[in-house]
Amino acid sequence: MNKLFVYAEHREGIVKRASLEAIAAARDMAGDGEVTALLVGSGVDELAAGLGHHGADRVLVANDERLGRYSPTATPKVVAEAIGVAGASIYICGATAQGKDLSARVAARLDAGLASDVTALRLDGDDLLCEKPVMSGKAIGTVKVASDTVRLVTLRPNSVPALEADSNRSCAVESIATDLDDSDLHSIVTEAVRSEGGKIDVSEADIVVSGGRGITGPEHWAVLEDLADALGAAVGASRAVVDAGWVPHDIQVGQTGKVVSPGLYVAAGISGAIQHLAGMNSSKCIVAINKDPEAPIFKVADYGVVGDLFEVVPALTEAIRELGGA
Ligand SMILES: Cc1cc2nc3c(=O)[nH]c(=O)nc-3n(C[C@H](O)[C@H](O)[C@H](O)COP(=O)(O)OP(=O)(O)OC[C@H]3O[C@@H](n4cnc5c(N)ncnc54)[C@H](O)[C@@H]3O)c2cc1C
């Protein structure tokens, strides 16, 4: 029977949805086996029950005030030890920026196999098989994670739905000690500054509205933000507009930007270059708005609107507002 382990990432007192999705994936594969989640941080006990509501059987809590923020050197050590405590054979973590950094370090510590940024995973007998987009998303590769110890996976956000919270579902909560000395803490994050207050992270959003060079200038960007506001969406961008300095790089979608997999991706004034598609073609539903009927973006779109975005986008925004939002 497999024992599965999930690293539960949290920020500002809230567990990341990517971690709840990882618990759902673990729950799906565990069958009658145990799903253990780990919380690392300072004063994080109160988050444990919520992990149980979302499918964890057991929650390990590593409370240490030195770990109030993620430490690239100390947190992987704590996680590697907790995997041993859980006796886990499979580890799943959301493929967020922190999750990817952490998981590579844990894999190195445990000399374990790691499949990163997978979009689906399953057990075939004892084999752990993971699907991941390859060749800029043109193909899906199936990767078998081999390891004599634990097998590690990072799961792309929005690939697997989180389980509905069930407040009747409980979990065992156990504190675990952290065995850290100064040499483990030689790298610590002293401050985290949001680039812009309150904006939704494009790589974890369920709806993304992205704009490209068709927007024609930063003074018109508000047309896109209005639609994003109406939909409760994050705003993304093509590299062309990032390179032009209209918007910051942290919202760039694509091969050299962020990889997104939302339920809905709206591309306005984006041609659909292969490097852009690499970052968004695993979206569940793609809506393209472009005045050129030959634009490559239409090849991957589920719905295409051939038209001037300055007419189509405001009309869409108004219609969504009339319907009361997304
Ligand atoms: C190594 C490398 C890495 C790269 N990484 C990335 C990456 O991560 N992300 C990325 O996006 N790109 C990346 N690129 C760049 C990529 O090749 C394209 O140049 C870029 O995606 C084009 O951006 P765009 O679609 O906004 O602009 P364009 O290709 O110029 O397309 C603009 C589109 O807007 C449409 N349009 C114009 N006016 C209107 C209007 N009024 N209404 C409706 N439609 C209109 C046009 O028909 C056109 O299709 C990379 C390139 C390289 C070489």
Side-chain angles (χ1 to χ4, degrees), residues 1 12 26 103 111-112 120 127 223 244 267 278 307:
M1 200 181 295
E12 293 165 2
S103 302
D111 197 18
D127 291 342
V223 79

Side-chain angles (χ1 to χ4, degrees), residues 167-233:
S167 55
N168 294 320
R169 212 182 172 287
S170 60
C171 59
V173 180
E174 294 164 43
S175 288
I176 56 167
T178 56
D179 178 21
L180 300 173
D181 56 38
D182 288 348
S183 66
D184 297 315
L185 289 153
H186 59 77
S187 172
I188 52 168
V189 177
T190 54
E191 192 184 10
V193 182
R194 277 188 187 278
S195 53
E196 273 180 71
K199 292 266 166 83
I200 307 167
D201 184 343
V202 73
S203 55
E204 293 170 42
D206 195 38
I207 306 178
V208 176
V209 173
S210 279
R213 194 149 32 202
I215 301 282
T216 67
E219 66 278 16
H220 298 129
W221 199 251
V223 79
L224 212 66
E225 288 180 331
D226 282 351
L227 176 59
D229 276 354
L231 284 167

Side-chain angles (χ1 to χ4, degrees), residues 211-216 237-241 252-257 268-276 289-292 295 307-310:
R213 194 149 32 202
I215 301 282
T216 67
S238 72
R239 176 164 161 177
V241 304
Q252 181 183 316
V253 173
Q255 188 180 311
T256 45
I270 293 178
S271 58
I274 184 69
Q275 296 89 354
H276 187 80
I289 302 162
N290 198 302
K291 67 180 184 186
D292 175 6
D308 185 339
L309 72 88
F310 293 108

Side-chain angles (χ1 to χ4, degrees), residues 122-140:
R122 66 181 191 279
L123 281 168
D124 182 8
D126 281 342
D127 291 342
L128 175 60
L129 302 179
C130 302
E131 289 181 11
K132 55 180 287 168
V134 292
M135 298 175 184
S136 299
K138 278 193 201 153
I140 303 289

Side-chain angles (χ1 to χ4, degrees), residues 104-119:
R105 292 170 190 272
V106 173
R109 274 185 174 272
L110 297 176
D111 197 18
L114 164 68
S116 62
D117 204 23
V118 312
T119 51

